[in-house]
Amino acid sequence: MRKFNEMYVIGIDHGYGNMKTANCCFPTGVMKSDTEPTFVSDLLQWNGKYYSIGVGHKEFTADKFTDEDYYVLTLAAIARELRRERLTEASVFIAAGLPLTWVCEQKAEFKKYLLQHSDVEFSFRNTDYRIKIVGAEIYPQGFAAVAENLGDFKGVNMLCDIGNGTMNLMYLNNGRPMESKSWTEKLGVYQCEKAILNKVRDNTGTELMHEVIENFLRTGETDIAQPYAGLMVEAAKEYAVQIFQKLRDYEYNEQMMRLYVMGGGARIVEAFGEYDMDRVTFDHDIRANAKGYEYYCYMILKHQQRKKAM
């Protein structure tokens, strides 16, 4: 969260697996009820309804503005950032993002979605909040995450941002984005999770718990018996092969360029992929996009302010 004049710029990455801000991360799950749940710590109350935050699993959808879930999750993300500064009232400017090749088509609708209420009163974790949403901007996922460090990218680099739902690819030439060479593929971590689930089920008839797979993908290790552990590793390796095959489909050549892998899938590729360690960089900061949106937005607002002052 960055203060700009009398408002706060808050970067929010609306992920399919996790919601991220510059300082917080929580599961992209929400369950609505008419009555107050008994055992929920992250409870948000708004518009006469109760929302259990982080409960359940948000299914993949290309359009994030088709229901109220991401709006409610946005309120929870804002509350978490404000809580860090011990604020309960604030004017907020939302800096958010979308997959690279979806930005142009969906930007207007997503921005309208985030701005649907200008004054919002809600309660989160038994604390009342009153916020005024004064603006919102949408930035390209992946590129925004490295916007603050573009000077470090020398020569030709392929940027690979693997989220839960999508994989975003973009070429950088001396830190400058090559817009004609950017793509979004539905090859996120969720695809790896499904592959693991199917492989274990097909070979053993056993249904793995989501939490077991999630812990494995987060750490690369598991404390379950054979043959389940071995099958999980096999599926993860096959997923990593898929990733590199898709990169090569878009003309990736490790001898001609460097690869920068980020997002939740970076750890999977690092642990189970085959690559030249000297020519691949892994960034495991899953909040990098949220930080990038925030930085990008803050710098643009400052630039606009300077132009008006001239």
Side-chain angles (χ1 to χ4, degrees):
M1 185 168 77
R2 297 177 184 237
K3 188 173 184 181
F4 179 79
N5 295 337
E6 298 304 314
M7 66 183 180
Y8 292 90
V9 179
I10 299 180
I12 304 175
D13 181 0
H14 298 77
Y16 295 106
N18 292 288
M19 292 286 293
K20 284 88 66 179
T21 66
N23 300 291
C24 306
C25 176
F26 58 95
T28 303
V30 57
M31 185 176 295
K32 182 169 72 171
S33 59
D34 294 325
T35 57
E36 184 174 356
T38 304
F39 301 108
V40 177
S41 57
D42 287 357
L43 184 66
L44 187 145
Q45 187 176 359
W46 171 65
N47 206 23
K49 302 293 182 181
Y50 296 90
Y51 299 87
S52 303
I53 304 300
V55 176
H57 179 73
K58 180 71 174 171
E59 292 298 322
F60 176 87
T61 172
D63 302 324
K64 296 182 178 180
F65 39 81
T66 54
D67 58 34
E68 69 176 5
D69 288 359
Y70 274 108
Y71 187 80
V72 172
L73 290 165
T74 298
L75 296 181
I78 291 171
R80 284 172 176 265
E81 284 290 304
L82 293 179
R83 181 185 179 93
R84 289 176 55 86
E85 302 297 324
R86 298 183 179 180
L87 295 171
T88 57
E89 296 187 25
S91 293
V92 174
F93 195 106
I94 300 172
L98 286 168
L100 281 170
T101 56
W102 299 357
V103 173
C104 292
E105 181 180 346
Q106 298 184 5
K107 178 178 179 179
E109 280 295 324
F110 195 36
K111 183 175 178 178
K112 179 181 176 181
Y113 175 81
L114 295 173
L115 294 174
Q116 61 183 280
H117 302 289
S118 57
D119 294 281
V120 189
E121 296 185 17
F122 63 97
S123 172
F124 182 62
R125 289 180 170 178
N126 295 316
T127 299
D128 294 331
Y129 292 90
R130 297 180 61 186
I131 63 172
K132 181 181 288 292
I133 301 178
V134 297
E137 283 298 337
I138 313 300
Y139 302 104
Q141 187 176 314
F143 175 71
V146 298
E148 196 169 357
N149 305 305
L150 289 176
D152 297 335
F153 290 84
K154 307 300 183 183
V156 177
N157 287 262
M158 176 179 258
L159 183 66
C160 175
D161 180 13
I162 309 173
N164 191 70
T166 61
M167 176 174 72
N168 292 281
L169 305 174
M170 173 180 275
Y171 278 98
L172 302 177
N173 183 21
N174 289 317
R176 293 186 177 183
M178 302 168 68
E179 291 190 30
S180 62
K181 288 184 172 294
S182 61
W183 306 271
T184 296
E185 290 284 345
K186 189 179 175 182
L187 194 59
V189 175
Y190 180 59
Q191 300 302 312
C192 183
E193 182 177 333
K194 287 203 302 183
I196 291 173
L197 189 68
N198 291 337
K199 181 174 279 290
V200 173
R201 182 197 296 129
D202 292 345
N203 283 272
T204 69
T206 302
E207 194 84 9
L208 279 182
M209 292 176 59
H210 166 73
E211 290 76 11
V212 171
I213 302 175
E214 184 178 52
N215 291 334
F216 170 67
L217 294 180
R218 184 183 297 116
T219 65
E221 300 176 353
T222 184
D223 188 28
I224 63 174
Q226 297 295 348
Y228 311 108
L231 291 169
M232 291 174 72
V233 170
E234 282 182 29
K237 287 182 177 179
E238 290 167 3
Y239 172 75
V241 169
Q242 276 187 286
I243 293 292
F244 279 101
Q245 181 57 59
K246 186 58 67 175
L247 298 185
R248 286 190 289 271
D249 288 346
Y250 292 114
E251 301 179 353
Y252 168 65
N253 184 329
E254 68 176 10
Q255 296 180 332
M256 304 293 292
M257 62 195 66
R258 293 186 177 274
L259 178 64
Y260 189 93
V261 187
M262 55 185 295
R267 193 170 299 280
I268 303 172
V269 175
E270 183 177 26
F272 302 107
E274 295 183 4
Y275 50 86
D276 184 344
M277 296 177 61
D278 294 329
R279 299 192 63 79
V280 182
T281 299
F282 294 96
D283 183 350
H284 297 299
D285 184 1
I286 63 173
R287 293 172 291 150
N289 273 303
K291 294 175 182 177
Y293 301 150
E294 196 168 282
Y295 167 79
Y296 216 150
C297 184
Y298 178 78
M299 296 305 294
I300 289 174
L301 290 172
K302 284 187 67 175
H303 176 69
Q304 293 173 345
Q305 185 181 61
R306 284 196 296 266
K307 285 185 67 176
K308 289 180 179 179
M310 292 176 63

